Amino acid sequence: MIIGNRTFDVKNRTYIMGILNVTPDSFSDGGIHNQLEDALFHAKKMVDEGCDIIDVGGESTRPGYTLLSDEEEISRVVPVIERIKREFDVPVSLDTYKSKVAKAGIAAGADLINDIWGLKYDADMARVISDAKVACCLMHNKKEPVYDNFVADVQSELAACVALAKEAGIADDKIMLDPGVGFGKTYEHNLKAIWQMGSLHALGYPLLLGTSRKSVIGLTLDLPVSQREEGTLVTTVLAVMEHVAFVRVHDVLKNKRAIKMAEALRDCE
């Protein structure tokens, strides 16, 4: 899979998407990187630690988040994307579900659109991605955590997202899928989404897992956001064992080491 100027071996490797939230209210790191120089400093740290993609987000999507105008979100993310692309040799992902924000982000240099609604929120999103020929990550999401058969329903609902992409002309090699841990799911659903993420390989696209510091880890370990790194690492190792191509994380260095060790064990035969 080609994202920006990088080729990713999505069948045999697990890569790191480093999280860069330029928001005042994200659940884990809100307010820390929302000044441009602070964001660039953190981007450099993640690049130095070995991240493979930087995921820029301008709107928090934590439970109860405040919906931003397109203009406000654009004003947050575009300067950061432009500077990262100018100063670092790393693909940039833009975490947005709004087509106007995506279009502005792509013009600023974004190589991938990470859509938490899997093209279902904004009818123009698929066309914007297709026209620009950038990559996309389509995440499973729904308003209420109601399922007949959880694993089968997630798979079929993601297949519907893929159908929207294909209808708009997005190429197969530009699509990755995310089971959507923490979105439209109960605690038990989230555990099952992680444990059975490998079932989504049946859809035929690279997978991304995003669990970093999320509530499913906090509830399991009874820990605050600042102490959920070990739990995150467990899910990263599981992702390697399940041949998941990307993990979206806050702590690049520790996850990089965990991936290297897990890949060595998995591939030792």
Side-chain angles (χ1 to χ4, degrees):
M1 184 175 192
I2 298 174
I3 304 172
N5 64 355
R6 300 282 181 88
T7 300
F8 294 87
D9 179 1
V10 295
K11 293 188 182 299
N12 301 298
R13 292 282 313 283
T14 298
Y15 298 94
I16 289 182
M17 177 183 281
I19 298 169
L20 180 58
N21 288 319
V22 288
T23 62
D25 56 347
S26 291
F27 81 96
S28 174
D29 52 5
I32 298 176
H33 310 126
N34 59 324
Q35 298 299 317
L36 181 58
E37 293 307 318
D38 293 332
L40 268 291
F41 180 84
H42 189 60
K44 182 180 187 307
K45 180 175 183 287
M46 291 196 292
V47 169
D48 289 345
E49 290 180 346
C51 82
D52 301 291
I53 302 172
I54 293 178
D55 189 49
V56 176
E59 178 182 87
S60 172
T61 52
R62 78 193 196 293
Y65 70 94
T66 301
L67 186 69
L68 287 183
S69 68
D70 291 351
E71 292 72 25
E72 174 66 20
E73 192 173 346
I74 288 168
S75 74
R76 291 181 181 183
V77 301
V78 162
V80 175
I81 294 169
E82 288 176 339
R83 285 285 296 277
I84 291 173
K85 293 301 292 186
R86 189 159 69 239
E87 297 186 21
F88 308 107
D89 181 23
V90 63
V92 172
S93 164
L94 173 57
D95 184 355
T96 189
Y97 50 92
K98 302 168 189 170
S99 62
K100 288 182 180 177
V101 179
K103 192 169 185 177
I106 292 166
D111 305 294
L112 183 152
I113 299 300
N114 185 8
D115 185 348
I116 65 165
W117 283 102
L119 307 178
K120 292 181 177 180
Y121 179 89
D122 186 328
D124 291 329
M125 181 64 99
R127 179 186 53 78
V128 167
I129 294 168
S130 177
D131 288 350
K133 294 181 170 52
V134 296
C136 62
C137 181
L138 310 181
M139 194 187 82
H140 177 268
N141 201 347
K142 62 195 308 181
K143 292 182 178 179
E144 299 294 334
V146 179
Y147 302 87
D148 294 323
N149 180 309
F150 176 73
V151 174
D153 287 357
V154 169
Q155 188 168 315
S156 65
E157 288 161 15
L158 271 176
C161 296
V162 171
L164 290 174
K166 302 271 285 178
E167 184 179 349
I170 299 173
D172 278 337
D173 62 0
K174 295 294 186 184
I175 299 170
M176 68 175 76
L177 304 178
D178 179 346
V181 174
F183 292 83
K185 298 169 184 68
T186 65
Y187 169 70
E188 290 77 14
H189 290 148
N190 286 320
L191 287 176
K192 191 172 286 188
I194 297 166
W195 183 244
Q196 300 204 29
M197 59 187 151
S199 65
L200 295 178
H201 283 305
L203 295 173
Y205 296 92
L207 304 180
L208 177 145
L209 181 69
T211 62
S212 189
R213 304 180 185 172
K214 287 186 175 178
S215 62
V216 63
I217 295 169
L219 290 169
T220 301
L221 302 179
D222 191 22
L223 291 173
V225 169
S226 61
Q227 297 179 38
R228 296 176 185 172
E229 210 54 61
E230 297 95 338
T232 301
L233 292 171
V234 171
T235 65
T236 291
V237 170
L238 182 61
V240 173
M241 296 306 175
E242 292 291 333
H243 291 271
V244 169
F246 301 91
V247 291
R248 181 179 179 272
V249 299
H250 295 87
D251 190 320
V252 172
L253 185 60
K254 290 178 183 176
N255 282 276
K256 191 84 171 180
R257 290 170 175 168
I259 288 169
K260 186 174 182 179
M261 189 70 217
E263 286 182 339
L265 291 169
R266 185 195 64 195
D267 301 336
C268 66
E269 292 185 350

